[in-house]
Amino acid sequence: MSRELSPREIAERSLIKKYRKELWNPFIAAVKRYELVQPGDRIAVCISGGKDSMVLAKLMQELQRHTDHPFELTFLVMDPGYNPENRALIESNAALLGIPITIFESDIFDVTVQVEKNPCYLCARMRRGFLYSKAQELGCNKIALGHHFSDVVETTLLGLFYGAQLQAMPPKLTSKNFPGMELIRPLYCVHEDDIIAWKNYNHLRFLQCACRFTEARDTAGDGVGESKRQEMKVLLRELKRTNPNIEKSIFRAIHGVQLDTFPGFKYRGGEHSFLEFYGDRRDVFGGKDT
């Protein structure tokens, strides 16, 4: 008689069996396409306690288990000021899923709660700095974040609509403030809806954000709340009714930017016009007069 699988084993098997097409394959595609993991890497997988970072941790474990190019993993949890219940939920989920987490503390929530303008932006910036610093202290050369395909598309729209810029979220980024460190996003090609499906299939409950600004979202009738990012989610829902491939089109667009069609752009902190930077070099881009 076959042995009954544990919740951990069921969750792991579902990643590479039931949700192979939706989760494992696009995860591997991103790792290979953007060259995110190299032999000998020491990667700090940053876990917030939400569904995205937890599924990232499990996928990275599976990759480490099956790869021919060994690398090391550290599962890093920063406690920015969670209440005891939320911290306990992170710890219990990590134990349930077999993720050996390392926890360290910061006072980010105490700082950001005093900020009226853009507290979420400040929180994200501070989190990343703390994570880089701790990962480097532990001997890691990369941090892995749980941003996914849907985050990439939404960020692109946010920049366009509210930031007055055409800017995307890159799959990897070299740190300017922490020499030798790199940020990678292995879920770059994974859709949020598929992460939610995996979570529900395994009857798992994760944190959403757990900061002091999430009450409006958690009590919102539409389930997404009032932030600008949630506004993008609602907008994309509406657009997909008439164009189911709208997200794919936006994603492909950031991979096929026609630079010579823009009257100006920013490059390495400086602002330039196309002709100022390249001169009349249509041969470089194969462009033509418009």
Side-chain angles (χ1 to χ4, degrees):
M1 189 171 71
S2 61
R3 177 178 64 86
E4 183 177 353
L5 298 177
S6 67
R8 169 187 173 177
E9 291 171 322
I10 293 172
E12 291 173 346
R13 177 171 292 190
S14 64
L15 281 176
I16 57 176
K17 295 289 186 179
K18 181 175 179 62
Y19 292 98
R20 187 179 188 87
K21 180 180 178 182
E22 295 83 1
L23 296 176
W24 178 252
N25 287 352
F27 164 74
I28 292 298
V31 169
K32 291 182 176 179
R33 178 177 185 179
Y34 305 113
E35 300 179 340
L36 302 183
V37 179
Q38 303 297 329
D41 275 345
R42 300 187 66 179
I43 303 172
V45 180
C46 301
I47 298 175
S48 66
K51 66 185 188 313
D52 307 326
S53 60
M54 284 294 191
V55 79
L56 171 62
K58 294 308 298 178
L59 287 167
M60 292 297 287
Q61 281 184 324
E62 289 297 320
L63 177 61
Q64 185 183 45
R65 189 174 298 150
H66 294 100
T67 187
D68 294 326
H69 306 289
F71 62 92
E72 297 181 36
L73 291 174
T74 296
F75 299 95
L76 200 56
V77 176
M78 182 187 64
D79 183 344
Y82 293 133
N83 65 45
E85 293 78 11
N86 287 332
R87 176 157 171 165
L89 179 59
I90 295 175
E91 293 173 334
S92 64
N93 278 331
L96 176 71
L97 294 171
I99 304 171
I101 57 176
T102 297
I103 303 178
F104 71 101
E105 298 178 353
S106 74
D107 61 351
I108 289 178
F109 283 177
D110 289 337
V111 174
T112 57
V113 75
Q114 303 177 48
V115 177
E116 293 185 7
K117 187 176 181 180
N118 296 327
C120 294
Y121 174 78
L122 176 62
C123 181
R125 296 281 295 183
M126 292 181 67
R127 279 174 180 263
R128 188 174 302 181
F130 274 105
L131 290 168
Y132 267 131
S133 180
K134 188 64 176 180
Q136 194 170 54
E137 176 187 321
L138 295 174
C140 298
N141 66 305
K142 293 180 180 179
I143 63 172
L145 302 185
H147 298 126
H148 45 63
F149 175 97
S150 307
D151 288 324
V152 175
V153 172
E154 292 157 13
T155 298
T156 302
L157 292 183
L158 282 169
L160 178 62
F161 294 164
Y162 294 107
Q165 58 190 352
L166 293 172
Q167 181 175 331
M169 177 184 286
K172 62 181 178 181
L173 189 66
T174 300
S175 175
K176 295 180 180 179
N177 299 320
F178 296 87
M181 295 293 294
E182 189 174 53
L183 180 155
I184 60 173
R185 297 182 168 105
L187 298 184
Y188 206 76
C189 299
V190 176
H191 290 251
E192 183 177 26
D193 287 346
D194 296 323
I195 296 174
I196 293 172
W198 175 82
K199 173 184 73 74
N200 292 339
Y201 175 79
N202 288 285
H203 309 290
L204 297 169
R205 182 175 71 88
F206 299 120
L207 294 184
Q208 290 196 53
C209 175
C211 79
R212 300 164 195 176
F213 297 95
T214 56
E215 290 184 358
R217 181 188 64 193
D218 294 342
T219 58
D222 61 2
V224 296
E226 299 178 357
S227 75
K228 295 303 181 185
R229 182 169 293 277
Q230 305 308 322
E231 182 182 313
M232 295 301 101
K233 290 182 184 293
V234 174
L235 174 62
L236 287 166
R237 284 181 190 173
E238 294 298 318
L239 292 173
K240 284 195 288 187
R241 291 183 180 181
T242 54
N243 181 2
N245 294 315
I246 188 70
E247 291 176 319
K248 291 181 180 178
S249 294
I250 296 170
F251 189 76
R252 288 173 180 167
I254 66 174
H255 288 78
V257 175
Q258 300 296 315
L259 191 60
D260 60 338
T261 66
F262 288 86
F265 64 94
K266 290 183 178 180
Y267 181 77
R268 293 183 181 176
E271 190 168 324
H272 309 273
S273 70
F274 174 80
L275 290 178
E276 174 191 3
F277 195 80
Y278 288 104
D280 191 10
R281 292 292 309 283
R282 296 180 180 85
D283 58 305
V284 175
F285 298 93
K288 55 186 178 181
D289 289 320
T290 57

